[in-house]
Amino acid sequence: MGTGNFFWVIFYFASLCSASLANNAKINFREKEKKVLDQILGAGKYDARIRPSGINGTDGPAIVRINLFVRSIMTISDIKMEYSVQLTFREQWTDERLKFDDIQGRLKYLTLTEANRVWMPDLFFSNEKEGHFHNIIMPNVYIRIFPNGSVLYSIRISLTLACPMNLKLYPLDRQICSLRMASYGWTTNDLVFLWKEGDPVQVVKNLHLPRFTLEKFLTDYCNSKTNTGEYSCLKVDLLFKREFSYYLIQIYIPCCMLVIVSWVSFWLDQGAVPARVSLGVTTLLTMATQTSGINASLPPVSYTKAIDVWTGVCLTFVFGALLEFALVNYASRSDMHKENMKKKRRDLEQASIDAASDLLDTDSNATFAMKPLVRHPGDPLALEKLRQCEVHMQAPKRPNCCKTWLSKFPTRSKRIDVISRITFPLVFALFNLVYWSTYLFREEEDE
């Protein structure tokens, strides 16, 4: 009998323990969250129109700390001077009215998806052009309320922001695009924005831009004063470096090739008029089309860009090659005219000599020709004697290598072509040396 009672006592205590464990397991913490939310956000208990108190419950301004996570940078437009970015935006502040019991650490935080249930800072992006929230599948926003009254607001947004650019060094430039955040209605007496300590801005690791590289980013403050008060403002500066390889392949190398092709006309025969004209006009039109295509992708600014200097000089070289052929053609016709005049003069002299010899042969009384005592100014024998005297009177000159080399080419038109074959490449090489040294040095100075 004693053994049976002992068994029932053990069974009774075991059933009590199992019942208590079952009751603990059946505790619904989601229901606890609902009760806590009703307790702190119930009707007449919390007014979202009133801002939180300052630090330690004082009457100072509410402190809101900001941090950003840059998810992607879609486009950077030169012609519109803007860029598009997608980011996760977070704000954190303390509202002592939202403190609650965490049930011995079991409730880490409460989650809301309705921002109008609690007080929110009136932050706006001052350099924003367009923007939208993400609502697929559900709105990408949440609010977390921690037991000590700290509130974390997080949202994913896409923005198109203005980015004023200085294109003087384009395409060897660096651009600084800013993201500015400020309070719209609360002055610094009521609301102050601060960057979150530690790492206020994060950027996704595999960020890829087609024509730019994000070198670095800097955070700063930009409080603004107006006639209605001073407003808190934060900004982050994104430093972008333009990728030069794209422009080297698409602009600089094709322009160099067009300039070199225009020099081919210097090696063509001066009589090949259709070939030289068609080559010069074709390269000129192609270069003009290239220049217009470059300008179409850039805004109409009032200053000269680095690419304008390059395309302008290349266009001048191509146009100069076309003008060179016009000069060669004119010199060729002038040479032909001079050659015809010399030929006529030789024919006249030969005719006069033949007439004089015929006259001497027909004069039977004359046994020899008398040389005149006085030479006429136009007498060729007198000119020859004077030339010989001048040669003996003048001191011997050193031979000029350039003149000696040019004397191998009898016509002026041929000399112009030969000089152009050397002059154009040398001047273009000198221009490249000056151009790249100037703009690369200016880029280092700006850096």
Side-chain angles (χ1 to χ4, degrees), residues 5 75 92-93 108 117 188 231 265 311 323 436:
N5 291 333
T75 57
Q92 193 165 7
W93 67 94
K108 294 183 178 180
R117 296 290 301 276
T188 52
Y231 299 89
S265 64
T311 55
L323 290 182
W436 295 113

Side-chain angles (χ1 to χ4, degrees), residues 176-310:
I176 298 178
C177 295
S178 299
L179 175 64
R180 294 174 176 266
M181 300 160 286
S183 172
Y184 191 81
W186 298 95
T187 63
T188 52
N189 295 327
D190 297 309
L191 179 62
V192 172
F193 291 121
L194 297 176
W195 286 112
K196 183 180 179 181
E197 297 178 359
D199 196 7
V201 178
Q202 301 95 33
V203 179
V204 65
K205 293 182 179 180
N206 58 347
L207 180 65
H208 176 71
L209 298 172
R211 289 186 295 170
F212 287 89
T213 300
L214 179 61
E215 288 193 329
K216 60 182 178 180
F217 51 87
L218 302 172
T219 57
D220 201 357
Y221 296 89
C222 55
N223 290 6
S224 60
K225 292 184 178 180
T226 66
N227 54 6
T228 57
E230 182 180 0
Y231 299 89
S232 183
C233 174
L234 303 179
K235 73 171 182 177
V236 53
D237 292 331
L238 305 173
L239 179 60
F240 295 103
K241 180 182 179 182
R242 198 181 300 272
E243 287 291 341
F244 180 68
S245 57
Y246 168 81
Y247 300 94
L248 180 65
I249 297 172
Q250 297 294 327
I251 296 177
Y252 284 92
I253 292 179
C255 288
C256 283
M257 294 174 65
L258 286 173
V259 173
I260 294 172
V261 167
S262 68
W263 299 341
V264 175
S265 64
F266 304 154
W267 299 87
L268 297 178
D269 185 71
Q270 58 191 13
V273 176
R276 297 187 69 162
V277 170
S278 60
L279 182 62
V281 173
T282 302
T283 53
L284 183 62
L285 292 178
T286 307
M287 191 67 215
T289 304
Q290 181 88 345
T291 303
S292 62
I294 295 170
N295 292 330
S297 62
L298 294 173
V301 295
S302 59
Y303 48 82
T304 302
K305 304 180 289 293
I307 195 67
D308 295 334
V309 176
W310 175 264

